[in-house]
Amino acid sequence: MGGDSVDACISINPAGIIKPINDVKSFNLYPNPASDHLTIEFEPTTTQAVSMEIKNILGQSITPLITSKSNGKMVINVNQYPSGIYFIQMQSEGNTLIRKFIKEEPNCFRSITVISLR
């Protein structure tokens, strides 16, 4: 069965009440897959700093990144990473959002000389 997926970040307090976390309204990555650069955009709704880091498929931190509310957009050079699956983890005021991205090798175009044989 196919369907749409929805990303949500929730908090469950000790009383078992579920409430949405609104520190970051949205968190988008593009292009995905990426070969050279990855753009991260978000709309923070808090005055607290937002920290982000890149993790590999094993959950190991590859690059810690830090930005603030005033920025809202980052462009990261990912061409040094090997091809594979990575995760961007964003944290704000103790809340965490995670998005997956794929790093692929850039397309290689080679010049080919065509010789006509008759």
Side-chain angles (χ1 to χ4, degrees):
M1 288 186 193
D4 295 332
S5 66
V6 176
D7 291 323
C9 192
I10 61 170
S11 173
I12 302 175
N13 66 21
I17 298 171
I18 299 173
K19 63 180 184 172
I21 295 172
N22 294 318
D23 292 338
V24 177
K25 281 184 176 178
S26 66
F27 173 22
N28 298 308
L29 305 175
Y30 62 88
N32 194 5
S35 59
D36 293 319
H37 294 88
L38 181 69
T39 300
I40 302 169
E41 288 186 341
F42 58 94
E43 294 181 44
T45 60
T46 181
T47 58
Q48 297 294 319
V50 175
S51 66
M52 288 186 251
E53 64 182 319
I54 297 175
K55 294 188 175 195
N56 64 15
I57 193 74
L58 301 175
Q60 299 165 328
S61 181
I62 303 298
T63 307
L65 306 169
I66 304 225
T67 190
S68 68
K69 176 187 182 289
S70 62
N71 192 351
K73 182 176 181 179
M74 297 180 70
V75 178
I76 301 168
N77 183 350
V78 296
N79 66 5
Q80 73 273 16
Y81 301 134
S83 295
I85 297 173
Y86 295 88
F87 298 92
I88 299 286
Q89 179 175 307
M90 176 186 286
Q91 293 182 320
S92 174
E93 295 183 350
N95 302 310
T96 303
L97 292 172
I98 299 172
R99 298 284 186 271
K100 176 179 78 171
F101 78 93
I102 298 171
K103 168 38 172 97
E104 66 181 8
E105 293 302 317
N107 293 330
C108 296
F109 294 102
R110 295 187 178 140
S111 174
I112 300 173
T113 304
V114 177
I115 301 172
S116 176
L117 300 175
R118 294 185 185 223

